[in-house]
């Protein structure tokens, strides 16, 4: 199984997990759309920092608007 | 093994594979940095369209500048 967990990077805190078992990621209208293996979707107002397939981690940074 | 292959989307053509066995992806200075399991890196002037961990595919779109 190659899904990843998605985290929001929090300054001076541990990263916050926002979705488990993500199998699809797509930038959408300046946001990041995540989809998990159960078909659930989350659209986050964040930018992508890194996808690491070895660690199964997607790291996002919340937009400061 | 959970690496993905990275493709550039070509209009009216088959997608062009630009890197195999990618395990890390990171936006960098408006470009996309890919790294494979052999430690090779490619910095592509492209934007991310989609990461599909189920299909092991990273789809990029060349920037039209």
């Amino acid at each position: 199984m190659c899904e990843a967990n998605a985290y929001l990077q929090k300054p001076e805190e541990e990263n916050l997990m926002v979705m488990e078992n993500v199998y699809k990621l797509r930038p959408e209208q300046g946001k990041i759309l995540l989809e998990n293996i159960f078909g659930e979707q989350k659209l986050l107002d964040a930018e992508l920092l890194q996808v690491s397939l070895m660690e199964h981690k997607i790291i996002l940074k919340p937009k400061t608007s």
Side-chain angles (χ1 to χ4, degrees), chain A:
Chain A
M1 302 292 270
C2 288
E3 310 89 42
N5 295 334
Y7 298 84
L8 276 179
Q9 193 181 62
K10 295 281 190 178
E12 300 176 36
E13 282 178 53
E14 272 197 48
N15 291 343
L16 176 72
M17 184 153 69
V18 285
M19 194 176 229
E20 287 184 291
N21 300 308
V22 175
Y23 85 98
K24 199 184 278 188
L25 173 156
R26 190 170 73 227
E28 184 113 348
Q29 296 167 334
K31 303 185 176 186
I32 298 286
L33 180 67
L34 301 174
E35 188 167 337
N36 71 11
I37 55 174
F38 309 110
E40 295 165 346
Q41 296 188 331
K42 274 192 186 174
L43 187 63
L44 297 167
D45 194 15
E47 59 181 303
L48 180 65
L49 286 186
Q50 184 172 283
V51 178
S52 174
L53 301 178
M54 210 88 102
E55 300 173 291
H56 303 270
K57 272 189 188 176
I58 295 165
I59 311 289
L60 306 170
K61 185 180 173 192
K63 284 202 183 163
T64 51
S65 54

